[in-house]
Amino acid sequence: MFSKACEYAIKASIYVAAQSLEDKRVTLKDIAAEIDSPVAFTAKILQQLVRNDIMQSTMGPTGGFQIEKSLIDTIQLAEIVHTIDGDGIFTRCGLGLKKCNAKKPCPVHDKFSVIRDELREVVGNISLFELASGLYVGLTHIKR
Amino acid sequence: MFSKACEYAIKASIYVAAQSLEDKRVTLKDIAAEIDSPVAFTAKILQQLVRNDIMQSTMGPTGGFQIEKSLIDTIQLAEIVHTIDGDGIFTRCGLGLKKCNAKKPCPVHDKFSVIRDELREVVGNISLFELASGLYVGLTHIKR
DNA sequence: TTTAAATAGGACAAATTTATCCGATAATAA
DNA sequence: TTATTATCGGATAAATTTGTCCTATTTAAA
């Protein structure tokens, strides 16, 4: 469904958000340990998220990553997915055809449109706050 | 969503099915040309489909691929997907967690379960006959 | 001011997926 | 029986994704 990079991005964002709710900044190492991901690879992904204003980073000692508290409930899962994987998953033809649309559809067009729309609707309406609170209260997990 | 190999497999199966409905056997070259896919790569994929009894092949002149006519409406899209990509798309956690289930869910578990179930339901209930007839009557296309 | 702890980012490596090449094998038809 | 036309399948290559390494840069604290 999502690329591995995107999975890491989502998990990292949820963890950073949960910590930010407590005004805690977290280091790259923490994040990688918490979501069970390769450190250096995770660093690249976090950089993308920072460049796209999903989160903020601070260099130097006491540095790390955090998400502006007031924005946590305005960031939707869709923004993270879009930043890392683009919008292919929401728009791409199920059979990979370049020219597939309602007028000249591929054989699975109609049925897959429904699923893609539902996916778009779902990830477009889950906020980072919702995801992070579930983690915070121990209702969900994120590691392995 | 699906791997490229799986996309080729689906398109090839639809084309072969449509031709088989007219009792026409088709060659590898025909298939690759018709679905705009690399010939040799397509050959590998077709071999997998043959080994899994999705279609049949005949060597030698007048040889090629076909699907037993009486079985075309019993083969569901799910079987093709399963043969090439396995069942990961139906079962895998949205965040790639090994131990994600209703008791100890990942943050997106519930919402993604719905989508995966719907996907499973859809591909489990589209028959090759349905897909091939759409192509046959020119309602759908499969190339580019 | 120096040191240490943190992210930034370029270059490179491994793994996986996608794609190609070529000889072997099978089967039809002349 | 031979030539031709197919698929089969192993080896290899290219492309993409995933992952690593190392140095530079920034910044807080001693």
Side-chain angles (χ1 to χ4, degrees), chain A residues 36-66:
Chain A
D36 195 35
S37 67
V39 176
F41 189 48
T42 305
K44 311 282 184 192
I45 296 162
L46 293 175
Q47 285 173 34
Q48 289 186 66
L49 295 175
V50 168
R51 270 186 237 116
N52 282 270
D53 295 317
I54 308 283
M55 57 177 70
Q56 295 79 45
S57 68
T58 323
M59 283 180 133
T62 77
F65 298 83
Q66 88 272 1

Side-chain angles (χ1 to χ4, degrees), chain B residues 27-28 44 47 57-61 65:
Chain B
T27 68
L28 169 61
K44 311 282 185 191
Q47 285 172 35
S57 67
T58 322
M59 283 180 133
F65 298 84

Side-chain angles (χ1 to χ4, degrees), chain B residues 99-141:
Chain B
K99 299 180 179 178
C100 172
N101 51 61
K103 270 201 171 168
K104 196 75 178 140
C106 81
V108 302
H109 182 81
D110 292 347
K111 309 224 173 179
F112 275 57
S113 292
V114 175
I115 292 173
R116 272 203 309 275
D117 288 350
E118 184 167 335
L119 182 65
R120 194 206 314 269
E121 200 267 338
V122 165
V123 307
N125 286 290
I126 310 183
S127 73
L128 213 40
F129 180 81
E130 184 180 344
L131 296 171
S133 355
L135 181 65
Y136 183 70
V137 302
L139 213 65
T140 60
H141 73 132

Side-chain angles (χ1 to χ4, degrees), chain A residues 4-23:
Chain A
K4 251 194 160 93
C6 190
E7 290 176 1
Y8 293 148
I10 296 169
K11 289 187 274 194
S13 298
I14 295 174
Y15 175 62
V16 173
Q19 296 298 304
S20 294
L21 286 174
E22 291 192 279
D23 298 303

